[in-house]
Amino acid sequence: MYGETIHNTKLLCVTEALRWRYVALLCLHSNGDYLDTPDDEICIALRITDQEWAETKSAFIKRGLLNADGSIYGWEKRQYISDIKDPTAAERQKRYRDNKRNDRNASVTSRLPESDTDTDISTTTVVDKAKGKRAAIEKPDGVEEKVWDSFKVLRKTKRAPITQLAMDGIAREARLAGIDLNQALTLCCERSWQGFEAKWVKPNSSNQTGRQMTAAEKYVQQRDAMRANDERTITGSATRVA
């Protein structure tokens, strides 16, 4: 940037927005990103539309800030003498611009979405270290579909992904509590538990064998009794109607 820019009467005759665009063009030219650069890339650099760029270029040509071919007027006289006389300067700048353009293209390519062939086919819960994604875990054997769906919703709400390690821990604690995995997950859903520990269902009653029944077993027994009672009520109502 040169000190004379602020006193450039041609530049002072245009709007403040156009002054900024002119300064931006100088920066692009200095970095080798102006000459031979497509208009659409210039528009992106200036954050303007194609129509605004056409109007800007026309205004700069009219004021003598740009040459008729769109190049910056008087650019050479502001350069170091060594840059002007060096016969390799043009070639070096061309290589620099090509490298910059290749870098931009490579950057865009790296952001493209992965193809269908790259998507996960496995349903394990182990984190894919190459992609950093978690795949959905399969429903464990013996777990009801509605219970599993409810448990997945619960874990998602608590922002706790379902991992194989977590499921192994719940299954282990369920065995310690004397219940199966389906019953443990049912308790998790109904009591909004993210996980499960055997100590959370302490023994509090006795069964016919004298062994104390856990709270989970008592709950399951009461639930089954209520279901059986509902079925008897429905059957009795149907009989009376008939």
Side-chain angles (χ1 to χ4, degrees):
M1 189 59 62
Y2 298 90
E4 65 189 50
T5 301
I6 195 173
H7 302 298
N8 188 331
T9 55
K10 295 179 180 179
L11 193 59
L12 293 175
C13 291
V14 299
T15 63
E16 185 174 354
L18 290 180
R19 293 175 204 164
W20 152 246
R21 293 174 191 173
Y22 180 74
V23 171
L25 290 182
L26 294 179
C27 294
L28 291 174
H29 201 311
S30 177
N31 291 333
D33 291 332
Y34 180 58
L35 295 178
D36 301 327
T37 299
D39 285 348
D40 58 341
E41 293 188 18
I42 294 178
C43 290
I44 293 174
L46 299 183
R47 281 73 168 175
I48 59 177
T49 64
D50 293 341
Q51 179 63 30
E52 289 173 329
W53 169 232
E55 293 173 355
T56 298
K57 186 188 296 185
S58 176
F60 287 164
I61 293 175
K62 180 180 179 181
R63 290 293 179 182
L65 294 169
L66 295 182
N67 296 316
D69 61 355
S71 60
I72 296 177
Y73 176 79
W75 177 263
E76 293 77 10
K77 72 178 183 179
R78 295 182 173 86
Q79 307 312 304
Y80 289 109
I81 297 178
S82 59
D83 288 342
I84 298 175
K85 292 184 178 181
D86 184 359
T88 66
E91 181 62 26
R92 286 190 290 103
Q93 289 188 5
K94 183 178 183 302
R95 287 199 303 269
Y96 175 78
R97 290 195 297 271
D98 291 342
N99 290 335
K100 291 274 288 184
R101 187 173 293 109
N102 291 337
D103 289 343
R104 287 196 297 270
N105 292 338
S107 157
V108 172
T109 303
S110 66
R111 294 195 298 270
L112 291 176
E114 298 172 352
S115 63
D116 293 340
T117 57
D118 293 332
T119 55
D120 289 333
I121 300 176
S122 168
T123 55
T124 60
T125 58
V126 179
V127 176
D128 187 338
K129 294 182 179 179
K131 300 177 184 177
K133 298 180 180 178
R134 296 180 185 273
I137 187 174
E138 289 183 340
K139 179 179 71 66
D141 295 336
V143 176
E144 298 177 18
E145 192 72 39
K146 62 180 181 180
V147 174
W148 181 244
D149 290 341
S150 298
F151 184 68
K152 289 194 295 184
V153 171
L154 173 65
R155 296 281 295 201
K156 183 176 181 181
T157 301
K158 293 180 175 292
R159 298 183 179 180
I162 302 176
T163 64
Q164 190 61 52
L165 184 62
M167 292 306 303
D168 291 344
I170 293 176
R172 182 185 64 252
E173 292 295 318
R175 289 192 297 270
L176 292 175
I179 60 177
D180 58 32
L181 182 58
N182 186 71
Q183 294 169 336
L185 295 183
T186 299
L187 285 171
C188 290
C189 295
E190 294 183 345
R191 302 186 182 185
S192 192
W193 290 345
Q194 178 175 312
F196 180 83
E197 292 187 21
K199 64 183 180 180
W200 294 347
V201 285
K202 298 178 180 178
N204 59 0
S205 63
S206 301
N207 56 16
Q208 292 82 350
T209 63
R211 181 180 64 84
Q212 284 190 317
M213 187 182 300
T214 66
E217 289 174 322
K218 183 178 179 182
Y219 163 76
V220 172
Q221 185 182 66
Q222 292 175 344
R223 184 194 63 185
D224 293 342
M226 291 177 64
R227 287 179 178 176
N229 183 60
D230 291 341
E231 290 176 359
R232 287 196 298 270
T233 301
I234 294 174
T235 302
S237 300
T239 301
R240 287 195 298 273
V241 171

